Amino acid sequence: QVQLVESGGGVVQPGRSLRLSCAASGFTFTSYVIHWVRQAPDKGLEWVTFIQKDGGSKFYADSVKGRFTISRDTSKNTLYLQMNSLRAEDTAMYYCAREFDGFDMWGQGTMVTVS
Amino acid sequence: QAGLTQPPSVSMGLRQTATLTCTGNNNNVDFQGAIWLQQHQGHPPKLLSYRSNDRPSGISERFSASRSGNTASLTITGLQSEDEADYYCSSWDRSLNAWVFGGGTKLTVL
């Protein structure tokens, strides 16, 4: 089954850390760029980060630069988002999304609450 | 990071046509085009169009996208109740080296 499944969300205090996972299945993980996109409660979508297909360059939104780190484990077909120094404004549903002619596949998301 | 500009809400009647707009600049929409996403409450977004005017398989022909300069548009014909959703545009911004989203348009079908 072709899908992305996020996990790792929860409630965390400000200043603490959390690591999210995005498990890919049903497609060749290394052939696609996969992004993290978040959505604060009752707000719009905000792009967070992605890593190039070759695992080289990483790009971050200014709002998370220096605090969040994207990585991946190709042996597990899994993308990670290490979130440090969390703030209340990081509270959001975090989605991973595959990029193929736009964001063509999305996971169901994992909720992060910083409080 | 500066985002794309979308009207917060649009309301149209059943079976009518709605046109949603998305304004960027020459570093994003004019350069790269825009993608459109539909999101129903409580669900992840779904891709409706890419490269400004192509549709993924399975997306109804009632959805069509276009672009003129810095402005991308999504036209939905023959509005149905299930079209009531939030619609987002997005584009790669070459100056920011970032993807940018519009704030979203809430479409109400009357």
Side-chain angles (χ1 to χ4, degrees):
Chain A
Q1 187 177 2
V2 181
Q3 62 179 0
L4 297 168
V5 179
E6 304 93 336
S7 61
V11 180
V12 61
Q13 293 178 331
R16 304 298 290 263
S17 299
L18 204 60
R19 188 178 82 156
L20 306 183
S21 299
C22 168
S25 60
F27 63 94
T28 305
F29 182 68
T30 51
S31 295
Y32 296 87
V33 172
I34 301 179
H35 299 247
W36 286 101
V37 177
R38 68 183 181 183
Q39 186 171 33
D42 295 320
K43 299 294 184 184
L45 299 169
E46 180 188 16
W47 172 79
V48 176
T49 180
F50 77 89
I51 183 170
Q52 291 282 25
K53 278 188 280 189
D54 62 5
S57 299
K58 302 172 185 180
F59 297 82
Y60 298 92
D62 286 346
S63 57
V64 307
K65 208 170 287 184
R67 300 187 301 123
F68 289 13
T69 302
I70 189 171
S71 63
R72 66 181 192 174
D73 185 337
T74 55
S75 69
K76 296 181 179 179
N77 286 350
T78 299
L79 187 74
Y80 301 102
L81 183 65
Q82 177 66 42
M83 305 186 295
N84 298 333
S85 303
L86 282 162
R87 306 168 180 166
E89 54 264 37
D90 296 318
T91 294
M93 181 72 79
Y94 284 75
Y95 296 101
C96 55
R98 187 179 77 171
E99 182 187 340
F100 180 72
D101 287 334
F103 300 123
D104 75 319
M105 183 192 304
W106 295 69
Q108 290 299 308
T110 187
M111 186 68 200
V112 172
T113 302
V114 184
S115 174
Chain B
Q1 276 147 332
L4 309 178
T5 301
Q6 297 182 251
S9 63
V10 168
S11 299
M12 296 298 290
L14 207 57
R15 293 181 295 277
Q16 290 190 320
T17 296
T19 299
L20 313 182
T21 59
C22 167
T23 303
N25 59 42
N26 59 4
N27 287 313
N28 43 61
V29 175
D30 195 20
F31 170 69
Q32 182 77 5
I35 67 168
W36 287 92
L37 301 155
Q38 177 193 60
Q39 187 180 33
H40 288 104
Q41 182 70 26
H43 292 271
K46 179 170 76 172
L47 183 67
L48 292 179
S49 80
Y50 57 94
R51 283 198 290 267
S52 292
N53 57 8
D54 289 329
R55 275 188 309 274
S57 73
I59 299 301
S60 169
E61 292 178 349
R62 297 189 300 107
F63 295 91
S64 64
S66 61
R67 176 173 64 93
S68 176
N70 294 340
T71 299
S73 300
L74 178 72
T75 299
I76 311 170
T77 58
L79 281 170
Q80 302 175 2
S81 57
E82 58 261 36
D83 297 330
E84 194 162 281
D86 294 321
Y87 292 82
Y88 295 91
C89 60
S90 183
S91 182
W92 172 254
D93 190 297
R94 60 179 171 175
S95 69
L96 298 175
N97 274 335
W99 278 84
V100 289
F101 279 91
T105 295
K106 182 176 183 60
L107 174 65
T108 301
V109 180
L110 303 170

